[in-house]
Amino acid sequence: MRGLGARRCLGAAALGLALLSAGASAQAENATEAKLYLSEAYNETANPAADVQQAIQEADGRRILLEVGGEWCVWCKILDKYLEDNADVRDAFGESFMIVKVNFSREHPNTEFLGAFPKAEGYPHFYVLDADGSFLASQGTAELEEGKGYNRARMLEFAEHWRKG
C-alpha cells in the first residue's frame, strides 16, 4: 500500500505542477496581451508626448500606433470592442504595434501634440510611428471599416504592412 500512496502523492504533485504551469502560461499570455495598449482609455489629462516616450521604452522594437479619439467617439468604442473580440486581429496588431491612445476632445484637443501630424479627417485616426517615435504614416480608419464594424482582411493587412521585418 505504501507504493500506491506514494504514487498518488506524486500524481497529485504532478497535477499541481501542471496547474501551476498552466496558470503561469495564462499569466504570461495576459501580460503579453496587456502590452497591446500603453493605456486602455483615452485620458484627457495625459501628456501624449510622454506617453510616446514611455511606449518607445516598452514596445520591444515594435512600432507605435497612435489611436486618436476619445470617450465620446462611437467608432473608437467599436474599434476597441473589435480588437477585444477578434483575437487574430488583436494578435496581429500586438505583433506590429504598441497602441497609445491620444485624447482628442473639445475640452482637450491636444493641439500642440497633434499639430506635428497631418490633420485627421475623422476619428478614430491612426498615426504610425517607427520604434524610435519618428512619424511614418497617417491612416484614417474609415478605409478599414465595414458595415458597423471593421473589415478583418483590411485590419490584418494594415497590421502586417507595418510589422517590422
Side-chain angles (χ1 to χ4, degrees):
M1 280 305 213
R2 191 177 216 179
L4 181 59
R7 275 186 270 155
R8 281 188 185 150
C9 287
L10 287 174
L15 177 61
L17 286 174
L19 291 173
L20 284 173
S21 177
S25 294
Q27 286 178 340
E29 184 179 318
N30 288 341
T32 302
E33 199 173 296
K35 289 179 133 182
L36 176 61
Y37 290 99
L38 181 67
S39 172
E40 295 283 332
Y42 294 99
N43 181 347
E44 292 184 345
T45 61
N47 176 343
D51 288 349
V52 168
Q53 290 306 309
Q54 183 179 348
I56 291 168
Q57 299 303 313
E58 295 182 24
D60 297 323
R62 293 174 292 162
R63 293 201 159 112
I64 310 299
L65 182 66
L66 302 181
E67 180 185 317
V68 182
E71 296 303 321
W72 55 268
C73 172
V74 173
W75 276 97
C76 298
K77 292 175 191 224
I78 292 170
L79 175 61
D80 287 347
K81 180 87 171 112
Y82 184 86
L83 290 173
E84 180 181 317
D85 292 346
N86 294 276
D88 60 335
V89 177
R90 181 183 60 245
D91 291 347
F93 268 62
E95 290 173 19
S96 299
F97 308 111
M98 170 162 283
I99 300 175
V100 175
K101 289 188 173 190
V102 177
N103 183 75
F104 174 86
S105 63
R106 288 183 195 145
E107 299 81 15
H108 302 280
N110 279 311
T111 307
E112 186 176 336
F113 177 78
L114 294 173
F117 302 102
K119 183 174 172 47
E121 298 299 321
Y123 299 97
H125 190 86
F126 291 155
Y127 295 110
V128 180
L129 309 182
D130 209 345
D132 65 0
S134 58
F135 174 76
L136 294 173
S138 175
Q139 171 73 50
T141 57
E143 297 86 13
L144 304 173
E145 295 170 8
E146 180 175 76
K148 300 220 181 264
Y150 288 87
N151 179 284
R152 180 182 172 278
R154 287 186 287 231
M155 293 288 278
L156 289 170
E157 183 180 308
F158 175 78
E160 181 62 32
H161 176 79
W162 291 108
R163 183 167 300 132
K164 289 188 93 163

